[in-house]
Each structure stands twice: as structure tokens, then as C-alpha cells.
């Protein structure tokens, strides 16, 4: 158990969510699971600054952000920075239309504990480990995006 927790401590997450309580609960749950969570943001420009300062291993991005900012547009910029994005939104059809800029979607409402499982699953897959079961609520857009390592 300690080794698994230790391996997570070097994995960094970013949460971009306009609902402060949701963001705080999610941050706390992910930190309790051993992840480092960068400063919470709810705007496009702030999120890009945080991402540039310390490139996270995974960004959790809501679609509708503060100030009419759009999480899908933000996801395009994060993808260009080689930061994988998990969309966390109740806008399921918009999330599904963003398959080219995100690796998956976790529709609201979700429990924070389910998000921890989804994050662990996605981070493991990004490292080539496909042994974890996919959480039921998690939609993975493109399995090929996990094929980052060249075939031996």
C-alpha cells in the first residue's frame, strides 16, 4: 500500500472547475489519495499560467468555466502543451464532441471517490499499464491515445 501511495506522490493534477465547492472536495479527495494538486483555477487564462508553471500529468477540466470561458477551448491549448485532459462536466454531448482534445470524460454528478479511481486508471493507462479496471462512469475517448510508447 505504501509503495502505491508513494508512486502517486510524484503525479501532479490540475483541476479547472468553476464550482468552488466541487473543486475543493475533488482536490481534497485527490490529495488524500496521494496526488499533488496544483492551485485550483476556474478561468482559461489562469489555468494556462498554472499549466505552464508546472506541467501536470493530467488536467481535470469542466466545460463551462467562470466568465463564459470554455473548457473545450482550454483543452485544445493544454493538448498542444502535451497535457492530457479529462473533461469533468454534466454536458455529456459537448464532452463527447471534444474527443480530439481530451482523453476521456467523467460526467457529473460523480462521487469524488469515483474520480480518484478514474484518475488512477487514466494515469496508469498513460504509462502503459492497462491492468486496472475502467470505472463504469468513465468514458475513454480513444484507446489509441494511450499507445504512446513505440512498439518493441
Amino acid at each position: 500500500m505504501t509503495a502505491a501511495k508513494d508512486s502517486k506522490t510524484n503525479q501532479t493534477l490540475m483541476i479547472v472547475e468553476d464550482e468552488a465547492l466541487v473543486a475543493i472536495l475533488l482536490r481534497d479527495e485527490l490529495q488524500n489519495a496521494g496526488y499533488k494538486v496544483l492551485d485550483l483555477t476556474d478561468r482559461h487564462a489562469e489555468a494556462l499560467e498554472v499549466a505552464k508553471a508546472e506541467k501536470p500529468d493530467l488536467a481535470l477540466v469542466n466545460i463551462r468555466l467562470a466568465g463564459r470561458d470554455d473548457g473545450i477551448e482550454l483543452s485544445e491549448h493544454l493538448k498542444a502543451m502535451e497535457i492530457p485532459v479529462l473533461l469533468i462536466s454534466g454536458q455529456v454531448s459537448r464532452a463527447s464532441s471534444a474527443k480530439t482534445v481530451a482523453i476521456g470524460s467523467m460526467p457529473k454528478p460523480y462521487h469524488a471517490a469515483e474520480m480518484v479511481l478514474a484518475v488512477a486508471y487514466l494515469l496508469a493507462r498513460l504509462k502503459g499499464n492497462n491492468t486496472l479496471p475502467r470505472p463504469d462512469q468513465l468514458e475513454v475517448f480513444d484507446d489509441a491515445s494511450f499507445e504512446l510508447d513505440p512498439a518493441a
Side-chain angles (χ1 to χ4, degrees):
M1 171 94 173
T2 309
K5 188 165 183 137
D6 289 344
S7 69
K8 290 180 185 176
T9 57
N10 63 3
Q11 294 183 301
T12 304
L13 306 175
M14 180 170 77
I15 299 171
V16 188
E17 168 66 69
D18 65 326
E19 295 179 50
L21 185 57
V22 171
I24 290 166
L25 290 171
L26 193 51
R27 177 199 62 201
D28 292 351
E29 191 79 19
L30 289 164
Q31 285 177 334
N32 288 341
Y35 296 102
K36 176 182 178 183
V37 180
L38 302 177
D39 290 342
L40 299 176
T41 60
D42 64 358
R43 300 291 303 263
H44 185 133
E46 293 169 355
L48 287 178
E49 287 177 28
V50 169
K52 287 175 186 171
E54 188 171 348
K55 185 178 171 183
D57 297 299
L58 181 65
L60 286 65
V61 178
N62 192 7
I63 291 177
R64 187 178 301 146
L65 300 172
R68 295 182 173 235
D69 286 359
D70 183 52
I72 293 175
E73 183 182 335
L74 171 60
S75 298
E76 291 172 8
H77 289 105
L78 293 172
K79 182 180 180 182
M81 297 168 65
E82 299 182 350
I83 298 170
V85 173
L86 171 63
L87 293 171
I88 53 171
S89 176
Q91 297 184 28
V92 177
S93 62
R94 283 209 63 214
S96 291
S97 74
K99 291 181 179 187
T100 59
V101 297
I103 61 172
S105 173
M106 187 76 156
K108 288 181 180 176
Y110 54 76
H111 293 288
E114 291 172 339
M115 186 61 75
V116 170
L117 295 174
V119 166
Y121 173 83
L122 291 171
L123 289 171
R125 288 291 306 270
L126 286 166
K127 291 184 176 208
N129 176 351
N130 61 1
T131 60
L132 295 178
R134 182 184 57 80
D136 291 337
Q137 203 171 345
L138 175 66
E139 180 183 2
V140 176
F141 291 151
D142 182 11
D143 279 342
S145 65
F146 294 109
E147 311 283 331
L148 301 177
D149 295 333

